[in-house]
Structures are given as structure tokens and as C-alpha cells.
Amino acid sequence: MRINSLQEYHEAYSLSVEKPEEFWANIANEFDWIKPFTKVLDWSFDDYSVKWFEDGQMNITANALDRHLKTIPDQAAIVYEPNEPGDEAITLTYRQLHARVCKFSNVLKAQGVKKGDRVCIYMPMIPELAIAVLACARIGAIHSVVFGGFSAQSISDRINDSLCKIVITTDGAVRGNKTIPMKETVDDALLSCPSVETVIVKTRTKTPVSMLKGRDLWWEEEEAQASADCAPEPMNAEDPLFILYTSGSTGKPKGVVHTCGGYMVYTAYTFANVFQYNPGDVFFCTADIGWITGHSYLVYGPLLNGAISVLFEGIPTYPDAGRFWDIIKRHQVNIFYTAPTAIRSLMGFGDEVLEGKDLSSLRVLGSVGEPINEEAWQWYHEKIGQGNCPIVDTWWQTETGGLMISPIAGITPLKPAFATLPLPGVQPILVDENGKEIEGNGVNGNLCIKYPWPSIIRTTYGDHERCKTTYFSTYPGLYFTGDGCMRDEDGYYRITGRVDDVMNISGHRIGTAEVENAINMHTGVIESAVVGFPHDVKGQGIYAYVICEHPTINDDLTRKDILATVARVIGPIAKPDKIQFVTGLPKTRSGKIMRRILRKVAEGEFGSLGDTSTLLDPSVVDSIIAGAL
Ligand code: PRX
């Protein structure tokens, strides 16, 4: 499974393209299967369906936990770094994690949770979040983790989309110097979620919460009564493992479904290779488990490899902007994986913060979630990696389940700000607007993938048609990523950003339509149009053009009210950075908003708006520009 040289990478890549089934079967056979698979792959991108190892049976937790009990039972699996730097870090060894997962599995079973049931998890970054995720996987329940920063409305939308039976949460959360209500938000969400029968509440902040008789239970009390013996549920490789909601260009977020076998094989393989993980290394992924990065490279990928994974509850700027560097020293972190937004924001605090910090344990650095600009890349390389740690700029998506285009640490020759080369099993192709392949090097196009890899999205929960149209209809026969991409003279890939109506705000994916819908819920708002614009720290910011019913009495106050509305409907991460009140939007005669123009105005490029002759009322543009100046 392990690639040790550039030549081995090229050999693995060639085999993965020429004989994909043989390639992945060999890797899959390194895992424990309850019933071995005989079929490797069955697929069609035309009438979308992909099945890997479909007649095999396994359980991902048997591979992520039980398998290591024979070899490294007393090694750390998860190292929990609490929000307060002075608080004791808690280590869970593989033996301890296994026992706690088994206990919580029994807690879920006692509540009637069965294979195939959906479980919503809304928790801060504490070990119990990972335990809850793994317990679901152990009994075959489908976890749907909702990022702890989402609003009650977002939680209930997600619960209702997949009809979750149970919600797991905490009383509250601590992030930096803030205490955040969690149970209260869940209570609000559950006012409109008839499918939920039970809520399990872990104590974190000891803030008073209302516990509803017959519905709400304390985690601690239930765990205390549970046995630590729970056999893993035999799962077919193609049984769903989890749902994770993500934003697209239209409609509400969709539930991306990943299945057990392929996801296991691919996350384990990519973790081991890209980060070149060696036994005993300490791996620190700063992502929240509420996002795909946390699922794949804080929980599953590392644990499948018997790795030590750091789980950090707090934020990078508490108590000060040196927190990540202190954690690296405290836990002797060898591999550090974070997002460009964090790098840019920490860069902004100046190099003084780094004085006296001991970063000598670091060997590999990683970047994920958004394009990393060259300046940030250089700073990361020089100041954090001390000039001698390779940076793996990993491009992938919620839908891909695992890393797709990325250097292999210390093996792939790097180029700043390039995701470099496709990993084995990944066959990228660039196409023009008409879906025609753009061959050769030194070209730009829309990034598609032409062959399935084991952790490709299987469906969007409850709506397979939506999955087909979103990913497989723009360019028939290809998986369309939604990203623009450049392939340079050396065949190296550089992701240039989304080409659809999805924004990337601090590495968080947010649809323009979602924000517009939220803004439109504010009283007095008639219509709005939202676009992304370049932002020094966040990568992209949100720019909203808003038409109100009457001229507002106090623009600033109305702006604040709109922000509060967006935070309530989606969550604080979707709050626009700029709101411009306008009297009209640039629409074509058929009523379509020309976002191209709005993007240019948001970028401050008033001189190059292109052809505006197809607009219903071209004078709208002048008044928008006047308002933006
Ligand atoms: O636009 C790409 C960007 O993030 C999108 C996927 O977002 P999400 O599903 O939330 O997953 C983020 C974590 C994997 C992509 O379509 N993106 C992700 N990684 C990179 C990136 N853009 C440039 N470089 C990357 N390394």
C-alpha cells in the first residue's frame, strides 16, 4: 500500500489506470473483511451508479479499532487538546477508545437505533464527537454530523431531509472565550422535527439546559450502565456509512452519501501515502469533524492506520495567535494539516508570535479546502516548516470522500500553490464549456474526473436524480467537480476556484442561492443577489446586493438585521461581508441575473464589465456602480 519513491508513485499510478480493479483489490485485501469480496467494481457514469467491493462484508470500526488491539492497544489513538490551554490534555488509547465506542454503541442500541437508522450529531470538538461517530459506524447506523456552528434551522433542515431518529449533542460548547449553547439550539431545531425520538446530551459546559422527560437523556448516565462489549455489525461494502450535507449552486444543501467499503479503503490509502505517516507519528488536523476533512483525516483515515490523531477543541487565536504552535510543541506533532485561511490569518499576526516556539517536531505540512496563494505557501514553508517540511496541498471535496490531487510528502517535487499530480486511481480531465477534452499541457479548463475511485459520492440522500444532475449531467460521462483548473507545462494541476455559484468562504462551502434565500427572509427585502469577492484572509468574502421594499431609514441598522437573519437561518459563517442596497439588479430579458457583472463590481473592476447589451435595463448597472463607489 505504501509508496516510497517517485518511481513507485508512477508505477502505482500506471497500474491504477491500466488495471484499476487489480490495483484496488490488492489494497482492499489488506483490511479485515468479515466476508471477502469477489466483485471489485461495477459502474456507470451515464446512468449514475458505482459499486465497489459490493459483495464483501466488513465493518470500518473493526478495521479502525479492533485490528489495532492486537498490536498497539496502549498507543494513543486520540489526543484531546481542550479549549483552555491550561487544562489537561486527555489521551484515549486504542483500547480505551474501543471500549468507549462499544459502550456508546450499546447506548444507541438500547435506544432502539438499528442498522440503517440515521443519527444526527451536533457537538463541539470533544472526544465524544469521535466516539459518537464511530459508535454509529459500529452498529451500522448512518451518522449525519452537523457542524456545531450551524443554526437551529440548518439542523432541522438536515434532520428532516434524512429523518433522523436520534440527536446527540452537548449542553454547551466552549470556543475561545465564548460559551455557545448547543442543547438550546437543538431544542429550537426539534420544534419542527417529528422523526426525532431521543436526544442524548453530553455535559461540557454545565450550563443549565431543559431536559424533556421521555426524550432527553444524559450521555454519562447512559454510558455508565452500558456494557463495553459490542460486536461490530457486518456491513455490506455498499451500505451507507454516513451522510454529510454540503452546499451546491442551487437549493438547500444536499446529503452526500458515502458507503462503508470504498470509503474505508480510500481514506486509509490516501492518509498513509500523502502524509507518509510512520508508526508513532503524531498527526494534527485542525478541521472540525463537522466537515469532510474531519471525517476523513481526523477520524477515519488516521484510525484506520493506527495513527495518533490530535483533536483540538478551540480556535487558533485563543488565548493568542500562537496556539497552534504551542499545541505542536506540547504534543510533539509531526504532521500538521490546516487550511489556507488559518495560515493567512496567523500570518497577519506577525512573526513575533513565532518567537521562541519550538516547531522542530514537524516533518510534513498540509493544506486543504481552498486555493493557497503563493505568499501564504512561502510563509508556511519558511516559518512553520522551517524550510524543510514538504507541503502537501491537497485538493478534494466532500463528494470525493478523500484526497484526489495532491503531492506525496517528500516524494512529489513541489511547486508552490499547486496541488501537483493526481493520486493513484484518480483520472482527471480538463474540458471546455462544451465538454470537449482539453488535451496537452499549459491549458485551463473545467476539472472533471473520468473514472470512479473507491470513495466517490454514491448518491445524494433521498434524491438520486439530484446526484445525477448535479455531478454527471453537465458533461455526460464525466464527474464534474465544479472547479476550474490549470494544467501547467509540467502536467501539474493548480485549482483556480469554483466555476459555479458556490463560494468558498474561509474554506467553507456556501451556495450563493442559500445566502440569497436567507436574506430574502428578512422583512422588507424584496430580492437579493449574492456573489463571492476576493478577500485577503478568507480567500473569498460574501457580497450581497439587496433590494428593499422602501428606502431603509437607517442603512446600518438594516444591514445588522440582515446579518442577524442570515446567522439565524444558516449560521454565522454565511454572514455577508458587504451589503449594498440597490434599486434594481442586472437582469437579462429572460429574467436571469447576470452575476458576471455583479462579481466584477464586487471586485471593484468597474471598467471591464463586458457586454451589457442583453440587459433588460442597462442603466441599472450605472446605479449599482455609483452605489459601490
Ligand atoms: O473548490 C474546491 C475547494 O473546496 C471545494 C470542496 O469543498 P468541500 O466539499 O467543503 O471540501 C473541502 C475539503 C476537502 C473544492 O471544490 N478546495 C478544496 N481543496 C482545495 C480546494 N481548492 C484549491 N486547492 C485545494 N487544495
Side-chain angles (χ1 to χ4, degrees), residues 431-442:
V431 299
D432 66 17
E433 261 98 84
N434 305 314
K436 192 169 169 299
E437 177 164 8
I438 303 171
E439 289 179 89
N441 289 339

Side-chain angles (χ1 to χ4, degrees), residues 112-348:
V113 181
K114 297 180 302 296
K115 178 174 174 175
D117 286 345
R118 277 78 57 211
V119 175
C120 173
I121 304 176
Y122 182 74
M123 294 177 94
M125 287 283 283
I126 57 174
E128 285 76 10
L129 168 52
I131 291 169
V133 161
L134 293 163
C136 288
R138 192 157 186 94
I139 65 169
I142 303 169
H143 55 78
S144 168
V145 182
V146 178
F147 170 60
F150 277 124
S151 65
Q153 176 74 51
S154 298
I155 303 169
S156 68
D157 284 348
R158 286 158 173 76
I159 289 176
N160 289 333
D161 184 73
S162 51
L163 299 179
C164 294
K165 189 170 183 173
I166 182 163
V167 180
I168 305 165
T169 189
T170 59
D171 48 357
V174 281
R175 277 173 68 74
N177 50 22
K178 286 197 192 124
T179 302
I180 301 154
M182 299 294 278
K183 172 68 164 60
E184 200 183 308
T185 308
V186 167
D187 285 338
D188 287 347
L190 295 190
L191 292 173
S192 56
C193 297
S195 64
V196 174
E197 294 164 12
T198 310
V199 179
I200 300 182
V201 187
K202 170 79 182 69
T203 315
R204 175 63 186 95
T205 51
K206 302 199 168 73
T207 24
V209 291
S210 84
M211 294 292 280
L212 206 65
K213 194 185 288 170
R215 187 193 74 180
D216 300 351
L217 303 165
W218 289 111
W219 173 301
E220 288 84 351
E221 286 175 13
E222 299 305 308
E223 187 180 347
Q225 296 166 24
S227 138
D229 201 3
C230 176
E233 181 76 25
M235 302 295 286
N236 267 94
E238 281 301 331
D239 284 337
L241 173 64
F242 65 84
I243 306 169
L244 188 57
Y245 285 85
T246 192
S247 298
S249 20
T250 54
K252 293 207 166 177
K254 46 193 175 295
V256 171
V257 175
H258 283 290
T259 55
C260 297
Y263 179 82
M264 168 179 82
V265 170
Y266 197 76
T267 53
Y269 177 77
T270 48
F271 175 80
N273 280 302
V274 168
F275 299 107
Q276 290 284 298
Y277 185 85
N278 292 322
D281 280 349
V282 178
F283 180 80
F284 177 18
C285 166
T286 68
D288 194 289
I289 295 175
W291 308 112
I292 192 68
T293 307
H295 278 60
S296 301
Y297 299 103
L298 199 157
V299 181
Y300 287 113
L303 297 180
L304 286 162
N305 280 281
I308 304 169
S309 186
V310 176
L311 189 159
F312 173 42
E313 182 179 31
I315 55 172
T317 48
Y318 179 80
D320 59 45
R323 186 66 191 274
F324 279 168
W325 324 132
D326 292 337
I327 296 175
I328 289 170
K329 161 86 184 348
R330 186 179 193 191
H331 299 296
Q332 290 294 289
V333 170
N334 306 107
I335 309 172
F336 178 64
Y337 191 32
T338 196
T341 293
I343 298 167
R344 286 190 295 262
S345 129
L346 295 176
M347 232 170 102

Side-chain angles (χ1 to χ4, degrees), residues 246 291-293 367-372 393-399 419 481-483 495 497-498 504 507-509:
T246 192
W291 308 112
I292 192 68
T293 307
S367 170
V368 59
E370 30 167 347
I372 178 164
D393 176 4
T394 62
W395 172 82
W396 58 299
Q397 309 179 293
T398 305
E399 295 86 343
T481 64
D483 281 320
I495 311 301
R498 302 289 303 198
N504 193 327
H508 300 143
R509 224 167 119 167

